Amino acid sequence: MEAATALASTRPAVLPPGPRLPRLFQSLRYALRPYGVIDEGARTYGETYTVRPFGQAPMVSFSDPDAVKAIFTGDAEAFRSGEALAPLLGPILGWHSILVLDGERHLRERRRMAPPFHGERMHVYGRLMREIAEEAVARWPIGQPFPIHKEMQGITLDVILRAVFGVDEGAAFARLRRVIRSFLAIADSAAAPFLGMRPFQIELGGVTPWGRFVRRRDDIRAILLDEIGRRRREGTAGRVDILSLLVGLRDDDGGVMTDDELIDEMFTLLMAGHETTATSLAWIFHHVLPRPDVVARLRAELADATGGAAVEAEHLPRLAYLDAVMKESARLTPVATNVVRQLMAPARIGGVDLPAGVSVSACIYATHHRDDLWPDPERFVPERFLGGRVPPNAFYPFGGGVRRCLGAAFATYELKIVLATVLARAELRIAPGYRMRPVLRTITVAPSRGVPVVLERRPG
Ligand code: HEM
């Protein structure tokens, strides 16, 4: 591996070789076979190659940890993420979203939004997460197959509505949940992989998938505006939800977040936090349920830590195997395949001189599947994460640097609480005949058909 630093270069740059297919085909192939196309790229071109997505700058993909480090530690002004994501996410999330901002504006937004997501604060939400998971498990039918992914979407949506938006009862909750579900159903449809592609973003009075998407999005924005107005009028004292914390926030200069900023950020947290967490849970069930040895070890560890009581925050540090299972699932099947930065200045990464204007991708999936870092990389082996030291920049399901996932602690906490609760309260198996295929859903990669499972019994 060549040491990599991002340096300005004056030499003319020739981009590393890569697939020569027309751009539209490159994007369509990825939309249809996300992991397979990355595997193929790595097999054919090695650790660094250039892809040309439709309607975007050429993107040089890296999997080498030193190159990944260079991408994550590069000067935020030169390695822009908002710039790279804006064409895709701006029309969906709004232009104040932290995801589409760069430089000083991004850092200011991070300073505002980071405190509510600090690891220690998560205990506030632990019990809520468990109760939501318990209520869901109690509704599952015994003996009839159902898609576990959908159930996990229900749980993670309710967690966002209650912990993040702070809407937790009565008509407002039911209405918001209904509108968001119908909005998310569009992201579930066959049109999903194309929603993020500019040429397919045509409204035509709300009859196209994109038009329906925009209408639902506007309904959600209207409800959020009501919620913000209520907090501004009634005050936020005693409220622990993240929206209230942000409404009550004062910048160093005494400024407050505007309604538009709050709405775009709430939308961002919904879109960045709901599907990613639900999909991560679906992948974990896909890996764990066919492995009685793994299930037995998880249950034994849980019983040992909780003594049979419901899982609480204080038990989590003693669930090392659960932690390893979660990490191994994120290694093998990361829900985000890569993170992208747009180069605003020439840079040298992994020994390659690159000009301003191209994008660079730290390919999470490719790094996680390198056999020099992860022996026998296609196997699910949670023990890799027990005791041993993980090589630096070899595992980054939450991205890295100043853009690392803001909700990583929140998501990790939720994955553990939900898994522990489901394991303690349900004996599940994969429905007979299920054959998994990884599928792209707007941005995340998920197991096909939502992973049909059967609840055999509720222990205890
Ligand atoms: C297992 C679940 C999750 C995964 C795998 C995940 C993954 C990611 C990744 C890969 C990024 C991009 C990082 C980069 O560019 O370097 C990201 C950014 C982000 N995530 Fe997550 N995420 C998850 C859950 C959440 C949750 C629950 C929230 C909030 C409720 C959240 C909020 C965000 C935000 C706001 C950003 C943008 C950060 C910035 O641009 O500064 N994520 N996430």
Side-chain angles (χ1 to χ4, degrees):
M1 290 179 223
E2 182 172 346
T5 43
L7 298 171
S9 162
T10 49
R11 270 180 281 159
V14 178
L15 300 184
R20 303 302 310 170
L21 287 168
R23 284 162 182 264
L24 183 61
F25 282 108
Q26 296 204 24
S27 289
L28 289 177
R29 282 184 80 237
Y30 176 76
L32 296 172
R33 284 179 55 239
Y35 289 162
V37 164
I38 298 175
D39 278 333
E40 242 170 65
R43 261 198 319 274
T44 316
Y45 304 101
E47 62 185 27
T48 305
Y49 58 95
T50 305
V51 291
R52 292 180 162 77
F54 189 62
Q56 294 169 42
M59 183 172 83
V60 184
S61 175
F62 294 89
S63 69
D64 171 69
D66 288 341
V68 169
K69 181 176 175 198
I71 293 172
F72 286 154
T73 55
D75 173 20
E77 289 294 346
F79 289 70
R80 296 197 159 200
S81 169
E83 191 101 12
L85 289 172
L88 182 72
L89 296 182
I92 297 176
L93 303 177
W95 300 96
H96 299 287
S97 161
I98 187 170
L99 277 162
V100 306
L101 299 178
D102 276 310
E104 204 31 63
R105 280 192 71 199
H106 169 256
L107 289 179
R108 186 184 70 147
E109 202 66 358
R110 254 207 80 126
R111 279 196 298 276
R112 285 168 151 182
M113 292 178 68
F117 285 99
H118 195 273
E120 283 168 16
R121 269 196 52 82
M122 292 308 115
H123 300 320
V124 178
Y125 307 120
R127 180 147 312 165
L128 184 64
M129 290 168 175
R130 192 190 76 213
E131 284 167 6
I132 291 170
E134 283 172 354
E135 284 162 21
V137 176
R139 287 192 298 266
W140 294 348
I142 293 189
Q144 290 166 33
F146 63 91
I148 192 85
H149 189 174
K150 195 149 187 266
E151 293 301 312
M152 295 300 119
Q153 287 170 328
I155 293 175
T156 61
L157 178 58
D158 282 3
V159 168
I160 299 243
L161 292 182
R162 289 163 71 178
V164 178
F165 294 4
V167 185
D168 56 7
E169 64 215 21
F173 180 71
R175 188 163 149 245
L176 183 56
R177 194 209 239 165
R178 200 178 50 247
V179 181
I180 290 182
R181 282 189 174 208
S182 88
F183 169 79
L184 295 169
I186 304 172
D188 238 349
S189 68
F194 308 104
L195 284 177
M197 293 184 197
R198 213 41 196 263
F200 295 95
Q201 292 175 344
I202 310 160
E203 282 193 51
L204 284 184
V207 295
T208 59
W210 176 252
R212 289 200 299 278
F213 195 72
V214 168
R215 282 204 173 168
R216 302 289 184 287
R217 185 194 62 187
D218 292 346
D219 291 344
I220 299 170
R221 294 178 82 91
I223 299 174
L224 283 174
L225 199 57
D226 280 353
E227 285 295 322
I228 294 167
R230 198 153 63 86
R231 282 169 181 68
R232 292 211 198 277
R233 282 192 310 276
E234 296 171 7
T236 54
R239 301 199 63 126
V240 294
D241 59 274
I242 288 174
L243 175 58
S244 293
L245 298 178
L246 294 178
V247 168
L249 178 137
R250 294 287 169 279
D251 290 332
D252 292 344
D253 59 7
V256 297
M257 287 178 81
T258 65
D259 288 354
D260 281 342
E261 285 172 335
L262 285 164
I263 287 178
D264 288 1
E265 295 307 17
M266 285 300 112
F267 232 87
T268 302
L269 296 177
L270 168 70
M271 298 303 278
H274 155 262
E275 186 55 33
T276 42
T277 313
T279 305
S280 300
L281 283 160
W283 277 121
I284 297 171
F285 286 111
H286 164 74
H287 294 301
V288 164
L289 294 182
R291 291 279 303 273
D293 57 322
V294 175
V295 173
R297 187 162 174 187
L298 283 169
R299 287 223 168 93
E301 181 185 68
L302 194 58
D304 199 39
T306 63
V311 66
E312 297 280 354
E314 73 208 51
H315 303 132
L316 296 187
R318 283 153 56 206
L319 300 176
Y321 190 65
L322 181 75
D323 183 68
V325 162
M326 201 187 69
K327 286 181 172 147
E328 177 64 347
S329 178
R331 180 197 67 79
L332 191 55
T333 47
V335 300
T337 57
N338 64 342
V339 292
V340 180
R341 309 284 186 258
Q342 178 122 28
L343 285 187
M344 305 308 285
R348 185 175 165 81
I349 302 171
V352 184
D353 284 317
L354 298 168
V358 302
S359 294
V360 290
S361 150
C363 189
I364 302 174
Y365 180 87
T367 306
H368 288 187
H369 284 250
R370 285 175 67 118
D371 57 9
D372 56 341
L373 301 169
W374 305 102
D376 207 355
E378 303 311 318
R379 278 189 61 215
F380 181 77
V381 185
E383 288 71 15
R384 299 176 202 273
F385 286 97
L386 287 179
R389 207 174 71 87
V390 175
N393 302 298
F395 177 68
Y396 51 97
F398 293 109
V402 290
R403 309 297 304 219
R404 185 172 186 272
C405 175
L406 198 67
F410 188 94
T412 305
Y413 206 89
E414 185 172 355
L415 294 182
K416 289 183 181 176
I417 296 272
V418 173
L419 274 175
T421 305
V422 172
L423 282 168
R425 291 176 174 251
E427 274 182 24
L428 296 167
R429 65 181 162 84
I430 301 280
Y434 174 59
R435 299 255 335 250
M436 193 281 292
R437 202 169 51 82
V439 291
L440 183 69
R441 294 163 42 87
T442 321
I443 292 171
T444 54
V445 179
S448 54
R449 292 176 45 214
V451 189
V453 300
V454 178
L455 172 62
E456 300 206 304
R457 60 183 203 101
R458 294 191 175 84

